[in-house]
Amino acid sequence: GAVVSQHPSWVICKSGTSVKIECRSLDFQATTMFWYRQFPKQSLMLMATSNEGSKATYEQGVEKDKFLINHASLTLSTLTVTSAHPEDSSFYICSARAWSGDPNQPQHFGDGTRLSIL
Amino acid sequence: QKEVEQDPGPLSVPEGAIVSLNCTYSNSAFQYFMWYRQYSRKGPELLMYTYSSGNKEDGRFTAQVDKSSKYISLFIRDSQPSDSATYLCASRGTSYGKLTFGQGTILTVHP
């Protein structure tokens, strides 16, 4: 159980293109999803927290107009990198946390999307 | 100072060895502690989840938390080549608070 699917797994596109990444919880409803960015051999850096039906909360230094997040349903959140440039190339990972009365619910991660901007 | 510090390694051990992975944290509000395993080009996989100080064991893995010294550890017994991965410690405060990750330790287990 607790499977998170992320699509696409790898995308290469030209500078100036907008790229959409999908994150789906397959067997549970996720009221909260998180988007992370990871550079090679570095840890995960939280970009934003997405709650179903409300605006995402962005971490300091993350441009909300650059990284558009939509969490329209309890099983799907999307991250759109608008007008992507080479410096946006990175590994983007989402995670999801189920709604539950259990405060110990952990986050479950997708397998990431490798974004390469030429 | 980072809120969660982790020695990035790399750490290389022979098969069958006991592996010790460690993190320190500075935020006294952290109450929940996790260890994730991440294979190359994959997302992190939850290995251990602890709340209180003390030890928690799951198969070959033991997580240890010492809140008095703000120190968390993961021990891997009888290490296998399949354990070769990056191990990330993570902490959070409130039950639904965001995770703060360590840098990750790259582990290689040689046959």
Side-chain angles (χ1 to χ4, degrees):
Chain A
V3 177
V4 176
S5 175
Q6 198 170 333
H7 179 80
S9 57
W10 196 0
V11 58
I12 303 173
C13 58
K14 294 181 179 179
S15 183
T17 306
S18 291
V19 179
K20 180 184 284 188
I21 302 169
E22 292 187 348
C23 179
R24 294 181 185 273
S25 56
L26 297 185
D27 51 1
F28 66 99
Q29 293 185 325
T31 51
T32 305
M33 289 184 171
F34 303 85
W35 287 95
Y36 295 85
R37 186 172 180 175
Q38 186 177 33
F39 291 103
K41 297 187 178 181
Q42 294 190 28
S43 190
L44 285 76
M45 297 300 296
L46 181 65
M47 298 174 65
T49 301
S50 167
N51 289 296
E52 186 266 337
S54 62
K55 290 184 178 181
T57 301
Y58 290 82
E59 295 299 301
Q60 190 174 10
V62 178
E63 299 176 60
K64 61 181 180 180
D65 295 331
K66 174 76 171 176
F67 300 99
L68 299 179
I69 292 172
N70 182 277
H71 191 166
S73 78
L74 286 172
T75 59
L76 174 64
S77 176
T78 61
L79 168 68
T80 301
V81 183
T82 62
S83 187
H85 292 284
E87 59 266 27
D88 298 322
S89 298
S90 190
F91 193 49
Y92 293 88
I93 308 174
C94 72
S95 72
R97 186 171 60 207
W99 179 87
S100 169
D102 179 3
N104 293 321
Q105 280 291 336
Q107 292 181 29
H108 299 281
F109 287 81
D111 274 341
T113 296
R114 187 163 304 278
L115 176 62
S116 298
I117 308 298
L118 304 177
Chain B
Q1 180 189 12
K2 294 181 180 178
E3 288 189 296
V4 179
E5 298 270 6
Q6 184 176 5
D7 185 345
L11 183 62
S12 181
V13 301
E15 183 175 357
I18 297 174
V19 176
S20 173
L21 304 167
N22 307 294
C23 289
T24 59
Y25 64 96
S26 58
N27 191 336
S28 297
F30 286 156
Q31 298 293 323
Y32 300 85
F33 306 93
M34 285 132 278
W35 283 95
Y36 286 88
R37 177 176 62 195
Q38 186 178 22
Y39 292 112
S40 180
R41 301 190 179 189
K42 292 290 186 180
E45 170 193 8
L46 180 66
L47 282 178
M48 301 289 282
Y49 185 109
T50 57
Y51 170 69
S52 58
S53 285
N55 295 349
K56 182 178 181 179
E57 188 174 319
D58 184 0
R60 295 185 295 112
F61 299 91
T62 299
Q64 191 174 78
V65 176
D66 183 346
K67 289 186 178 180
S68 63
S69 60
K70 297 186 176 64
Y71 198 82
I72 54 179
S73 302
L74 178 70
F75 299 95
I76 307 174
R77 292 183 299 280
D78 188 24
S79 56
Q80 304 294 311
S82 58
D83 294 329
S84 299
T86 297
Y87 290 80
L88 297 152
C89 62
S91 302
R92 73 175 187 219
T94 59
S95 302
Y96 294 99
K98 65 181 184 181
L99 289 177
T100 300
F101 283 88
Q103 188 176 351
T105 300
I106 300 171
L107 171 67
T108 301
V109 181
H110 295 288

